[in-house]
Amino acid sequence: MNDKIAVLGAGMMGSAIIKSLLKGNYEGKITAVDIAPEKLSELEKLGVAVTADSNKAAAEANIIIVAVKPGDVERVLRGVSKEIRNKILISVAATVPLKFLQRNAPDSRIVRIMPNLGAMVQASYTAYCCEYNVTAEDKVKVKTLLNMMGICDEMEEKYLDAITAVSGSGPGYLSIIIEALAYAGLKVGLPRNVALNAAAQTVMGTGKLVVELKEDPSKIRDMTTTPGGTTIEAIYQIEQSQIRPAMIRAIEEATKKSQIIREKLNIT
């Protein structure tokens, strides 16, 4: 695959996507677009073409990735309306629905995606949904790109707010878990670097066990737990903290927040 890609917006998510494609040895040209030079300097050092000219970048590309804040999507799309006609348009903007994108880019073949920051190290979970005019060939290209970022699933758009809450924002929650594990390690006497590495690798490894072995998390827990052992003692303490209902409430509120943001920005 060697299509020319223009990434409009080189912030945290846009840069993460670009870096992931580079690590995946993407063969086509990638152009990063942003009005802030400091956001482009690191990418330029990695061999990415950079510019502040959205129109030129979009005109030269076959695939356009919009990675700007939700409130900026309409302005960006209207600014490149002629250049994105009859091309694949991939939106990374959380909460922005396909119908809004279609109104502002009616001649594009639109895909809405929800990755997470794991894309920076090719470990993202990315959900995506497609507008009606996205072809089978388009979907193959999109899936190839998303698989360079980690793993992906196509789904109905109605699930995207929940995906945003569970996995899109997920690195933020899991960072708290990792930090808590690391501090617990300090509490019981581990050196700081050992505690942090042990916590982070354990979270990553547990995720891989679930994904690659296709096991229910409860099975992984039971594989670790022996009668009267250390794991069951720790689980007993954790369950008393009500961590499960706290996490469920957090995801419910984050899902609602997506809807509130959409209504506030009038991007329904």
Side-chain angles (χ1 to χ4, degrees):
M1 184 175 174
N2 58 0
D3 291 87
K4 295 178 180 178
I5 298 174
V7 181
L8 309 186
M12 189 66 71
M13 200 65 244
S15 294
I17 290 171
I18 291 170
K19 290 175 181 177
S20 191
L21 296 181
L22 292 175
K23 289 180 180 178
N25 297 315
Y26 182 71
E27 296 178 352
K29 180 181 179 182
I30 303 173
T31 302
V33 183
D34 209 285
I35 58 174
E38 65 274 11
K39 292 182 180 179
L40 298 175
S41 58
E42 182 185 359
L43 295 173
E44 188 173 24
K45 292 175 183 176
L46 296 174
V48 176
V50 301
T51 181
D53 190 338
S54 297
N55 299 90
K56 184 176 184 295
E60 294 176 350
N62 309 104
I63 299 173
I64 295 87
I65 300 176
V66 178
V68 299
K69 294 178 180 179
D72 294 330
V73 171
E74 183 175 6
R75 173 184 57 80
V76 169
L77 290 181
R78 291 191 175 185
V80 295
S81 59
K82 294 180 181 179
E83 291 81 5
I84 61 177
R85 287 176 180 168
N86 301 313
K87 296 179 180 180
I88 298 173
L89 175 66
I90 300 174
S91 172
V92 190
T95 78
V96 180
L98 285 173
K99 62 181 180 181
F100 181 88
L101 297 167
Q102 199 276 332
R103 282 201 303 270
N104 288 282
D107 299 315
S108 299
R109 304 191 302 281
I110 301 170
V111 180
R112 178 184 170 193
I113 71 172
M114 177 44 59
N116 63 35
L117 198 57
M120 191 176 291
V121 290
Q122 296 182 291
S124 174
Y125 175 77
T126 304
Y128 69 100
C129 56
C130 303
E131 189 56 278
Y132 71 94
N133 60 347
V134 174
T135 67
E137 183 182 357
D138 293 337
K139 288 187 178 184
V140 170
K141 290 184 178 184
V142 169
K143 190 169 183 178
T144 298
L145 292 175
L146 298 184
N147 280 336
M148 288 184 186
M149 295 159 50
I151 63 174
C152 65
D153 285 316
E154 182 178 4
M155 61 189 62
E156 295 179 55
E157 187 178 28
K158 66 182 181 180
Y159 297 120
L160 264 289
D161 283 342
I163 286 293
T164 300
V166 172
S167 62
S169 300
Y173 323 143
L174 291 177
S175 293
I176 295 172
I177 299 297
I178 291 171
E179 187 178 49
L181 282 171
Y183 271 94
L186 294 178
K187 179 69 166 58
V188 294
L190 290 178
R192 187 176 298 273
N193 65 317
V194 172
L196 183 57
N197 286 340
Q201 183 68 24
T202 299
V203 170
M204 183 175 71
T206 303
K208 289 192 72 172
L209 284 170
V210 173
V211 171
E212 294 186 13
L213 298 183
K214 302 187 186 304
E215 289 286 5
D216 189 276
S218 63
K219 180 68 177 296
I220 305 301
R221 181 198 62 209
D222 290 346
M223 289 165 62
T224 313
T225 307
T226 56
T230 59
T231 305
I232 190 61
E233 181 61 34
I235 288 174
Y236 174 73
Q237 297 297 330
I238 290 169
E239 291 290 7
Q240 291 187 85
S241 73
Q242 298 296 301
I243 189 171
R244 292 174 191 261
M247 186 62 75
I248 291 170
R249 288 194 302 271
I251 299 304
E252 287 178 333
E253 291 303 314
T255 302
K256 292 176 185 176
K257 188 66 173 183
S258 287
Q259 299 161 358
I260 291 169
I261 292 171
R262 185 160 51 246
E263 293 169 2
K264 183 177 180 180
L265 294 175
N266 194 28
I267 51 177
T268 57

